[in-house]
Amino acid sequence: MCGITGWIDWETDLLHQARTVREMTATLACRGPDADGVWLSRHAALGHRRLSVIDLDGGVQPLADRPGPEAGAVLAYNGELYNHRELRTELEALGHAFRTRSDTEVVLRAHLQWGKEAPTRFNGIFAYALWDARHEELLLVRDHLGIKPLYWHAHRSGVLFGSEPKAVLANPLFRPELDAEGIAELFALPAAPSAGHGVFRGLHEVRPGHLVVVARAATRELRYWRLESAEHRDDAGTTRRTVRELLADAVERQLISDVPLCTLLSGGVDSSAVTALAAAARERAGQGKIASFSVDFPGSADRTPDAWRTTRDAPYVEAAADHIGTLHTTVLVPDDDLLDARDAVLRARDRPGWGEMDASLHLLFREVRRRSTVALSGEAADEIFGGYPYFHDAAALAAPTFPWLHGKATPADLLRPDVRAEVRPEEYAADAYRRSLGEVPRLPGEPAADARTREVFHLALTRWLPPLLDRVDRVSMSVGLEVRVPFCDHRLVEYLWNVPWALKAPEGRSKGLLRDAVRDLLPPQVTDRPKSGYPSTPAVRYTEVLTARARELLADPNAPVFDLVDRELVRRLLAEGRPLPSPRTAPNPVGGLDHLVQVDEWLRAYRVGLR
């Protein structure tokens, strides 16, 4: 993976702005520790940081169709194109000559051949910027599910963009400010963020399956991919076989790498299936055993199960690793290490995140990166097969809101009365829900219950999954690790979109379709393990330290978080020993404290102004 950034300006000569462009590029060094490059012309500047994964010697970027500032097309690319070999063969037959083995050149030449239709031919994870000097036009393109991030900001005479907000923040044209919408995103919808909203005022994300076209006359957004609803005609056996074939093909494609590769193994059916399919593909190719990694905490065996974390990972990880035959490592994360990692994950995400869950993921990825550059993950299986508790909760399904928010308090409950009057968090959340429902591709004549299930799947894919993918990308890339997600292969997502609930959850079994499709690969206790979410630390010390920090904020008359949050309400809740409302939907007594402290840390560290 890599980091990209750039600057389009119709009034400024960017040939004289090399220093600023290099400063923007340098902010992304963690995403691309292996090399950097900058390309400048009068009205366009592109920067690139490279993590070498394929064609280690030939994939230098930005990549131009010809040398120098007179290039007709220049590409800064972040991603992996899993079908680049097939596309290369097709393009060579059309007369294109390649100078490298990299998938980057395939993307460039695909655009030279097919223009804005090129992304419709791609299978992969990607976010890239292509400057077309012939038409003075910039394309910003993001993959189908939004696995790779890409932000942009329209200024008076052009556009700034970057893989992460920090790249845009490095340009003096952009000021870090938070307005009413940004406050609502952070406090009312932290678990259901609006598509395309970058939290900072004036900052946008390229939406999944979209491209943004920047020209002198206008900046416009185009959609190149969407889910389409149709009647599912395959019987149960054919459906199981198709799911298995699509998943196996996705895993095998994603094993392509010129650097060490591993899997993330939690002991659930999702990550275990990916690991088993990867191990089988490597065996067919005559390669060695695959390495796998998991995370655990001291004292985790004593943790009380809940609806989201039903079982402890360790026994299932051991069973899966032994059955598959992986070279397994468990990364043990002490609570002091979690506390030390808080600043690193804040800088990685450029916004308040999920506290100790981000910190433990950072520490896991840091250890993985010592031995591997690429990791395969089981992320997104629950969104496409319906594995989360809210898919099986009648009250949550019937609620007129995002199902995972049903009955949950949000940090918006802590807002000061004057801020609440301006932000109107309940109205903002309700409007976001209505807009989300308006985007669902309907199937005419579908029974009401099936139509509602379809709505919930769409909400999960477009509002629940994006923050999970963003978390994995930003935290992994902060240590230079590329995480691939086979369950996000758009062909698999398209197929499962139309599979009815009765086939996805046969006999009411959560993710029964997936379990049955991979049953021969795994031991029964892993195949039939109930859904259990990402683990959190049971450490008392973590809570004690955060509580102390919150009390220090209460005593600080200049703490910026209390420009937003009701100081006396927080004081009362802490005095009564009651948890603060958490931004997370999974039970976590420290989640609200984490959010309060992290918002204050973010406002200070990023010098965020309030509007």
Side-chain angles (χ1 to χ4, degrees):
M1 284 302 126
C2 303
I4 68 170
T5 188
W7 182 0
I8 302 298
D9 203 310
W10 309 117
E11 297 180 2
T12 300
D13 186 348
L14 297 181
L15 289 169
H16 301 301
Q17 298 294 329
R19 179 177 178 179
T20 298
V21 177
R22 292 193 182 280
E23 289 173 350
M24 295 169 68
T25 305
T27 65
L28 302 173
C30 59
R31 297 186 71 92
D34 297 328
D36 69 325
V38 166
W39 182 91
L40 300 172
S41 68
R42 179 165 182 158
H43 296 303
L46 276 64
H48 187 267
R49 291 289 317 196
R50 187 183 184 209
L51 176 66
S52 302
V53 173
I54 294 175
D55 192 7
L56 305 188
D57 297 324
V60 177
Q61 295 191 53
L63 181 66
D65 62 343
R66 56 180 181 267
E70 301 305 318
V74 187
L75 176 67
Y77 171 71
N78 168 31
E80 299 292 346
L81 207 60
Y82 303 131
N83 64 336
H84 71 95
R85 291 172 177 169
E86 300 97 308
L87 288 173
R88 178 187 297 266
T89 300
E90 184 177 358
L91 288 163
E92 285 175 336
L94 292 169
H96 291 266
F98 287 82
R99 307 192 305 269
T100 73
R101 292 189 300 109
S102 71
D103 56 340
T104 304
E105 190 174 6
V106 173
V107 172
L108 176 62
R109 298 204 166 273
H111 271 279
L112 293 175
Q113 179 66 41
W114 298 303
K116 296 180 182 66
E117 296 299 313
T120 64
R121 297 170 177 264
F122 296 161
N123 178 294
I125 53 179
F126 50 82
Y128 59 87
L130 186 138
W131 170 247
D132 184 344
R134 300 162 300 180
H135 302 100
E136 288 199 323
E137 186 175 79
L138 176 76
L139 302 184
L140 300 174
V141 187
R142 196 169 178 209
D143 61 57
H144 304 71
L145 273 296
I147 301 160
K148 291 288 109 182
L150 185 53
Y151 294 83
W152 63 280
H153 165 69
H155 60 87
R156 186 181 62 81
S157 55
V159 163
L160 307 172
F161 65 88
S163 293
E164 299 181 6
K166 56 177 60 70
V168 178
L169 286 163
N171 191 299
L173 292 176
F174 184 77
R175 297 176 60 187
E177 295 179 331
L178 192 63
D179 60 11
E181 284 192 10
I183 296 168
E185 290 290 324
L186 283 179
F187 285 84
L189 288 176
S194 300
H197 201 293
V199 177
F200 290 104
R201 179 174 178 268
L203 187 67
H204 311 278
E205 269 196 287
V206 179
R207 294 198 290 169
H210 285 70
L211 54 88
V212 173
V213 184
V214 181
R216 283 181 182 268
T219 296
R220 65 191 193 279
E221 188 178 50
L222 304 176
R223 190 169 195 161
Y224 70 83
W225 180 79
R226 70 178 71 236
L227 291 167
E228 296 182 1
S229 296
E231 183 180 354
H232 183 76
R233 299 182 181 276
D234 291 347
D235 61 21
T238 302
T239 301
R240 283 194 302 271
R241 288 192 297 272
T242 303
V243 166
R244 171 66 170 267
E245 290 167 1
L246 286 169
L247 180 59
D249 183 68
V251 170
E252 187 162 9
R253 286 176 180 270
Q254 296 185 28
L255 291 174
I256 298 172
S257 174
D258 293 338
V259 293
L261 178 146
C262 68
T263 69
L264 305 175
L265 180 61
S266 70
V269 65
D270 314 337
S271 63
S272 299
V274 168
T275 301
L277 289 168
R282 286 173 64 92
E283 184 177 0
R284 288 194 301 272
Q287 300 169 335
K289 291 185 176 182
I290 195 164
S292 60
F293 293 84
S294 62
V295 67
D296 203 356
F297 303 93
S300 63
D302 300 326
R303 186 183 181 95
T304 302
D306 58 48
W308 285 82
R309 302 177 187 91
T310 56
T311 51
R312 181 171 171 247
D313 284 352
Y316 299 94
V317 168
E318 183 178 354
D322 287 347
H323 185 87
I324 298 167
T326 71
L327 303 173
H328 187 74
T329 300
T330 297
V331 178
L332 197 65
V333 177
D335 54 336
D336 282 346
D337 290 359
L338 284 173
L339 291 164
D340 292 342
R342 285 177 54 82
D343 184 64
V345 295
L346 178 62
R347 296 290 182 176
R349 298 196 70 174
D350 292 325
R351 57 170 291 176
W354 296 352
E356 52 92 5
M357 291 179 65
D358 289 349
S360 65
L361 194 67
H362 168 81
L363 294 169
L364 168 63
F365 287 162
R366 189 180 68 183
E367 290 304 309
V368 172
R369 183 62 175 89
R370 297 185 195 279
R371 282 164 277 187
S372 291
T373 307
V374 176
L376 269 62
S377 165
E379 205 77 57
D382 288 302
E383 286 79 8
I384 60 177
F385 286 98
Y388 287 112
Y390 58 78
F391 280 101
H392 307 268
D393 183 340
L397 294 176
T401 186
F402 299 102
W404 53 91
L405 296 183
H406 170 62
K408 302 286 194 309
T410 71
D413 292 346
L414 298 178
L415 291 174
R416 287 170 30 166
D418 57 329
V419 176
R420 172 180 287 277
E422 183 73 19
V423 173
R424 300 180 180 180
E426 290 82 9
E427 291 182 28
Y428 189 90
D431 286 345
Y433 178 67
R434 284 192 292 270
R435 289 195 305 271
S436 296
L437 289 185
E439 296 174 357
V440 179
R442 306 290 177 176
L443 182 61
E446 192 170 39
D450 292 340
R452 177 54 179 167
T453 302
R454 187 180 294 276
E455 287 179 349
V456 173
F457 271 102
H458 200 266
L459 294 173
L461 285 168
T462 59
R463 301 302 290 261
W464 173 278
L465 181 60
L468 299 181
L469 294 176
D470 181 74
R471 168 178 177 254
V472 169
D473 174 85
R474 302 288 286 283
V475 177
S476 64
M477 292 308 298
S478 72
V479 297
L481 176 71
E482 174 186 318
V483 174
R484 298 176 179 176
V485 279
F487 283 107
C488 282
D489 185 296
H490 72 276
R491 300 167 303 160
L492 179 61
V493 174
E494 287 172 348
Y495 183 77
L496 284 165
W497 170 248
N498 287 308
V499 174
W501 180 245
L503 291 181
K504 285 179 178 170
E507 301 168 341
R509 291 182 292 123
S510 175
K511 290 192 292 190
L513 172 56
L514 174 61
R515 299 179 194 279
D516 293 343
V518 300
R519 189 166 295 278
D520 60 309
L521 297 173
L522 303 169
Q525 67 266 42
V526 173
T527 306
D528 296 322
R529 180 190 180 190
K531 165 66 182 173
S532 193
Y534 182 84
S536 64
T537 177
V540 173
R541 173 166 160 72
Y542 189 88
T543 304
E544 291 175 342
V545 170
L546 280 189
T547 301
R549 290 186 182 179
R551 295 191 187 284
E552 290 172 3
L553 292 179
L554 287 170
D556 180 359
N558 299 314
V561 69
F562 292 117
D563 291 335
L564 301 172
V565 169
D566 187 327
R567 187 188 298 262
E568 293 309 312
L569 176 57
V570 171
R571 192 190 309 278
R572 186 168 67 251
L573 291 174
L574 289 181
E576 296 172 356
R578 295 163 57 190
L580 304 185
S582 172
R584 301 176 231 159
T585 55
N588 191 300
V590 78
L593 273 176
D594 246 341
H595 190 256
L596 177 81
V597 173
Q598 202 170 59
V599 168
D600 189 84
E601 292 169 343
W602 176 67
L603 292 170
R604 294 176 193 258
Y606 283 73
R607 299 180 181 179
V608 181
L610 300 179
R611 296 211 18 167

